[in-house]
Amino acid sequence: MSRQSNRTTDSKKMNSELFTLTYGALVTQLCKDYENDEEVNKQLDKMGYNIGVRLIEDFLARSSIGRCQDFRETADIIAKVAFKTYLGITPSVTNWSPGGDEFSLILENNPLADFVELPDNHSTLIYSNLLCGVLRGALEMVQMAVDVKFAQDSLRGDNVTEIRMKFIKRIEENLPAGEE
Amino acid sequence: MADDSLFEFLHMEIVSHIFNEQQSSKGELDNKDRAACISLLEAMGFRVGQGLIERLTRDTPSFKDELDIMKFICKDFWTKVFRRQVDNLRTNHQGTYVLQDNKFTLLTQFSGGKQYLDQAPKYLAFSCGVVRGALSNLGLESVVTAEVSIMPSCKFQVVIQKL
């Protein structure tokens, strides 16, 4: 009976495991396909980008969030709403650059890396690099060019997992010729 | 607690990656290459299924027989992985089971009808692997295939291999 009663939380957890394991299977496959970790990192970023450009639509439709006034607001929304919705975690936003165009997301526990241990011969593999691509792709669709990369990764022996985000420029809207 | 849509997006990317990879190295795909892609996806799913069932059956009492296992797959496993129950389970009592899902999760984004019917196998290979992996870790070696006649309804055929 106890299994019945907590079905909803259980099934949520199960789904997350499905996602985590599937992601693991993907990384394993990529490591087989490519000879070096650099290439795997690049591929993960590319796939993330493809996901990001579509995920943003899903996100905007569900969250009814409008345009952000500045990069600080963007950072807040990413950490408190987007990460919460899709991964169920809320990273903390820290290390603002004086100009306000760079910040870090600190992830306490990375759901993508739940059951993972990196072998020694993959020390340059950025396991969760998909996330960078997702963030970059999603922000590009709201006219922000942003540079995203892992500054620290607990899988590679760092204390925390840190994603560094740097605002590059606002993308001008290019209206097709002949439209107002 | 990853959101469902995340898995769906990831799955789509995996499928297109595997196929693009083959295409760029081989040029045009013939049937054999396509089969190779499908079995690659199936193998990825297999590993995922193994992992999932281990975690799912942690506190379930052990199963009586084969049918009991299949019922578990149709109810608990399906609900947790594909978020609904199998609509219909049929068997010939000789090791062949047909699981029918009238609204299979990974096909609901496709337009109904016949337009994308030829694309369906790509998007089912991974799930077939998941089911086979789950059964394998419950001690049943099987062959799992899927078949779609009208989107988004799908029939999985499980043939248990007798040793």
Side-chain angles (χ1 to χ4, degrees):
Chain A
M1 279 317 273
S2 69
R3 236 188 14 212
Q4 298 276 323
S5 60
N6 53 20
R7 172 151 279 175
T8 46
T9 54
D10 229 36
S11 93
K12 270 224 168 103
K13 203 164 138 266
M14 197 61 200
N15 265 314
S16 141
E17 282 169 8
L18 174 65
F19 176 69
T20 308
L21 288 167
T22 306
Y23 185 70
L26 169 67
V27 179
T28 313
Q29 185 57 41
L30 290 177
C31 286
K32 278 187 209 153
D33 287 352
Y34 299 107
E35 299 194 342
N36 60 45
D37 293 349
E38 279 309 309
E39 202 51 42
V40 177
N41 295 342
K42 219 161 76 190
Q43 194 62 39
L44 284 172
D45 182 81
K46 197 173 109 193
M47 295 172 85
Y49 177 85
N50 293 341
I51 294 177
V53 298
R54 304 163 88 179
L55 195 68
I56 186 76
E57 309 245 351
D58 181 79
F59 177 69
L60 293 176
R62 286 200 213 180
S63 59
S64 71
I65 283 171
R67 210 166 261 280
C68 291
Q69 297 307 314
D70 56 16
F71 203 41
R72 280 178 189 273
E73 196 184 338
T74 312
D76 258 5
I77 303 234
I78 290 173
K80 295 198 184 118
V81 190
F83 268 86
K84 182 96 194 127
T85 318
Y86 291 110
L87 293 175
I89 53 167
T90 313
S92 49
V93 180
T94 55
N95 291 343
W96 278 98
S97 66
D101 62 344
E102 256 186 82
F103 68 91
S104 293
L105 291 168
I106 307 287
L107 280 68
E108 294 284 326
N109 48 359
N110 177 0
L112 254 51
D114 263 351
F115 319 112
V116 182
E117 216 172 290
L118 282 190
D120 291 336
N121 58 346
H122 283 294
S123 54
T124 49
L125 177 70
I126 309 170
Y127 184 82
S128 318
N129 211 28
L130 187 95
L131 285 183
C132 293
V134 172
L135 287 165
R136 192 164 57 85
L139 288 174
E140 198 171 300
M141 292 298 113
V142 289
Q143 276 89 41
M144 289 169 119
V146 180
D147 183 53
V148 190
K149 56 175 180 283
F150 274 88
Q152 296 188 72
D153 191 344
S154 51
L155 277 180
R156 294 194 288 163
D158 297 315
N159 288 331
V160 286
T161 301
E162 175 186 352
I163 302 177
R164 189 77 181 151
M165 309 214 9
K166 182 175 195 280
F167 180 78
I168 302 170
K169 62 169 186 176
R170 201 150 201 97
I171 301 166
E172 299 299 328
E173 288 191 57
N174 284 330
L175 289 180
E179 272 183 45
E180 294 285 309
Chain B
M1 263 209 276
D3 189 81
D4 304 329
S5 51
L6 217 50
F7 170 73
E8 278 158 36
F9 281 121
L10 182 68
H11 179 258
M12 287 184 228
E13 275 305 309
I14 292 178
V15 173
S16 80
H17 165 78
I18 298 277
F19 276 82
N20 288 341
E21 185 69 12
Q22 277 284 331
Q23 202 149 31
S24 62
S25 63
K26 289 257 179 67
E28 273 304 291
L29 291 185
D30 57 24
N31 278 339
K32 209 172 132 209
D33 298 331
R34 250 180 237 120
C37 291
I38 297 279
S39 69
L40 208 55
L41 284 170
E42 215 259 353
M44 288 170 81
F46 182 79
R47 181 66 198 94
V48 172
Q50 283 187 316
L52 283 174
I53 202 77
E54 264 175 29
R55 303 189 60 83
L56 188 56
T57 49
R58 220 168 9 189
D59 18 58
T60 352
S62 53
F63 299 103
K64 283 200 307 281
D65 54 15
E66 206 175 278
L67 190 63
D68 205 27
I69 293 180
M70 290 313 291
K71 279 185 187 155
F72 178 81
I73 293 282
C74 292
K75 278 194 182 149
D76 297 66
F77 186 75
W78 222 264
T79 324
K80 289 191 172 142
V81 180
F82 303 118
R83 299 195 304 288
R84 44 184 276 116
Q85 279 189 25
V86 167
D87 293 293
N88 191 349
L89 168 66
R90 271 181 297 175
T91 174
N92 64 354
H93 297 287
Q94 279 162 19
T96 303
Y97 298 84
V98 177
L99 288 66
Q100 183 170 347
D101 187 334
N102 292 333
K103 209 174 147 212
F104 189 62
T105 318
L106 293 173
L107 296 178
T108 48
Q109 304 291 331
F110 284 95
S111 100
K114 295 188 188 291
Q115 193 181 359
Y116 294 109
L117 219 49
D118 53 335
Q119 302 290 322
K122 286 185 189 183
Y123 293 91
L124 293 169
F126 184 84
S127 313
C128 288
V130 170
V131 176
R132 192 167 68 87
L135 286 171
S136 157
N137 262 19
L138 293 173
L140 294 177
E141 292 311 317
S142 59
V143 173
V144 181
T145 48
E147 165 192 326
V148 184
S149 45
I150 298 170
M151 299 272 194
S153 124
C154 177
K155 273 182 196 157
F156 288 86
Q157 192 184 42
V158 178
V159 181
I160 308 286
Q161 308 291 297
K162 292 279 183 289
L163 295 174

